[in-house]
Amino acid sequence: MIHPSLHKNPVALDRDQHRTLRVRQDFADVSHTNGLNSMFLTAVEFSDACKEYPIVFVRAGTDPQTQKPDIAPVAVFGLSPDENLFAEGTRWGADYVPAVLRAYPFAMAPIGTDNYAVCVAREWTGFSETEGTPLFDEQGAPTQYLKDMQQFLEKLELEVQRTRLVGQKLVEMELLRDMRFDATLPDGNKLTVDGFLAVDEAKFAALPDDKVLELYRSGLLGLIHAHQVSLGNMTRLIARRARRTATA
């Protein structure tokens, strides 16, 4: 998937145009994530991501068939727009890195109805014509590195589609509601984070047993619990901002 705030200049890989393009795998720099307040998460990532980030849901357009909102889960990186508290110069300040960020500078974009193309964010400064791992061999065939990356992107795209179904089910069961997070910062200033959706605990607790069983068997029950646990990380974001402010 192409993320406009992350992939600022995406171009489809071409074996002729990019024959000599190389990737410096030892290149350590996360500056491309500066100002990235959140990032899409696939459902399969919830169990790892919930230990580090708040996981919330946001509206992402409208389903053309049902005319109901499309819902996407995101990992929250900051408490205000354009704030990323995990971008720390050359390193990412958490053990788990969301899959979309791990794939960068690569992404997969749809071409037509059923076809996809591997794209690269050409603004990334880790590309080189002389150093690093080549993407194509001398005959123009993909190297093993590029084949492995394409396989990773294909799996990621499959998980993106599965995650859309999770959002559709939560909307269908009317389990989401608009939420806000209010807090007092260490300096005494008040903070409000809003514009996101979370599972309505009252509606969730009131579900009949057969619906709970349905959620359990589909795997959604575990995702909901991971989401609920993750919301405690909002206070950890406050502490992270306080540390950053203190050392600024």
Side-chain angles (χ1 to χ4, degrees), residues 9-197:
N9 182 28
V11 296
L13 270 182
D14 181 273
R15 69 179 62 219
D16 295 319
Q17 182 181 355
H18 303 115
R19 179 74 62 90
T20 60
L21 194 63
R22 293 171 175 262
V23 173
R24 294 165 55 195
Q25 294 188 63
D26 60 341
F27 185 77
D29 183 10
V30 297
S31 61
H32 56 277
T33 67
N34 290 339
L36 201 62
N37 173 268
S38 60
M39 176 50 63
F40 173 83
L41 276 182
T42 61
V44 75
E45 298 181 84
F46 276 34
S47 60
D48 289 318
C50 73
K51 302 169 187 174
E52 314 235 28
Y53 316 102
I55 300 173
V56 300
F57 299 89
V58 296
R59 295 178 178 86
T62 303
D63 187 306
Q65 295 181 339
T66 66
Q67 294 304 306
K68 292 183 178 181
D70 270 331
I71 301 299
V74 298
V76 180
F77 301 150
L79 296 168
S80 59
D82 302 323
E83 177 182 65
N84 186 345
L85 296 170
F86 293 90
E88 300 176 352
T90 61
R91 63 181 293 273
W92 186 257
D95 290 331
Y96 183 76
V97 181
V100 174
L101 294 183
R102 278 183 279 134
Y104 185 87
F106 298 91
M108 189 162 279
I111 297 180
T113 305
D114 300 314
N115 295 320
Y116 288 83
V118 175
C119 299
V120 291
R122 287 298 279 127
E123 73 276 2
W124 187 56
T125 52
F127 285 123
S128 173
E129 299 287 338
T130 58
E131 300 178 75
T133 304
L135 300 183
F136 299 97
D137 62 22
E138 294 181 356
Q139 288 71 44
T143 60
Q144 188 60 49
Y145 173 83
L146 183 55
K147 290 178 182 178
D148 291 343
M149 179 54 66
Q150 182 171 353
Q151 185 177 42
F152 179 80
L153 292 171
E154 288 172 352
K155 290 181 178 179
L156 177 56
E157 190 61 34
L158 180 60
E159 293 300 333
V160 169
Q161 301 306 322
R162 289 174 175 169
T163 302
R164 288 198 175 108
L165 298 179
V166 171
Q168 290 173 6
K169 189 64 177 179
L170 293 175
V171 170
E172 176 189 323
M173 298 183 71
E174 299 182 346
L175 285 178
L176 297 174
R177 72 181 181 96
D178 288 284
M179 296 286 287
R180 58 182 285 172
F181 175 75
D182 296 301
T184 301
L185 300 176
D187 60 6
N189 288 326
K190 302 293 184 181
L191 173 74
T192 296
V193 180
D194 54 17
F196 66 91
L197 303 167

